Amino acid sequence: VQLQASGGGLVQPGGSLRLSCAASGFTLDYYNIGWFRQALGKEREGVSCISSNGGNTHYADSVKGRFSVSRDNAKNTVYLQMNSLKPEDTAVYYCAAGRFYYSDYVVREVGLYDYWGQGTQVTVSS
């Protein structure tokens, strides 16, 4: 059972990146998928979440209007499209899978997620 986050890199302010979260050993169909990030010296924070059926999405205020989460269950993969990137978006980004009742009030709670990817570094700098 493994989650693999990929797609990070170095990008200039205003640029875009698309992160992918691929699962192996289990199917993501029944899992809500959250994206979290952790900047150096800061706590891990929830960025976005998509419900298991893709019908609900959630975004932190800091990324609303710039980030977009989607899923392709046929490919067992979830994506995070990040546009208009800012230096403050610099962090290690993690994806996580959790089977819980979806609610915008809880999707950023780290403890609800069962599986975590290894993280991918996103650096926004000129």
Side-chain angles (χ1 to χ4, degrees):
V1 174
Q2 189 175 7
L3 282 176
Q4 179 89 22
S6 62
L10 173 63
V11 64
Q12 292 187 341
S16 297
L17 284 173
R18 189 177 79 156
L19 305 183
S20 298
C21 176
S24 58
F26 72 110
T27 177
L28 292 180
D29 291 17
Y30 305 108
Y31 288 84
N32 304 308
I33 303 300
W35 285 97
F36 294 78
R37 67 186 181 187
Q38 188 165 17
L40 198 61
K42 295 188 177 181
E43 291 187 357
R44 191 169 298 190
E45 64 170 347
V47 173
S48 181
C49 182
I50 186 167
S51 61
S52 56
N53 64 4
N56 298 94
T57 57
H58 173 85
Y59 300 96
D61 288 344
S62 58
V63 306
K64 204 170 289 184
R66 301 187 297 121
F67 290 12
S68 178
V69 63
S70 62
R71 65 191 300 154
D72 185 342
N73 283 353
K75 294 183 178 179
N76 219 22
T77 302
V78 173
Y79 305 97
L80 184 68
Q81 178 68 41
M82 306 187 298
N83 299 326
S84 303
L85 283 162
K86 305 175 180 180
E88 51 263 44
D89 294 318
T90 295
V92 178
Y93 283 70
Y94 301 87
C95 61
R99 294 188 71 169
F100 55 88
Y101 184 77
Y102 183 96
S103 165
D104 283 342
Y105 295 104
V106 303
V107 294
R108 285 189 277 174
E109 292 186 16
V110 171
L112 290 178
Y113 293 85
D114 304 303
Y115 304 111
W116 289 81
Q118 85 290 358
T120 184
Q121 176 71 47
V122 171
T123 302
V124 185
S125 174
S126 55

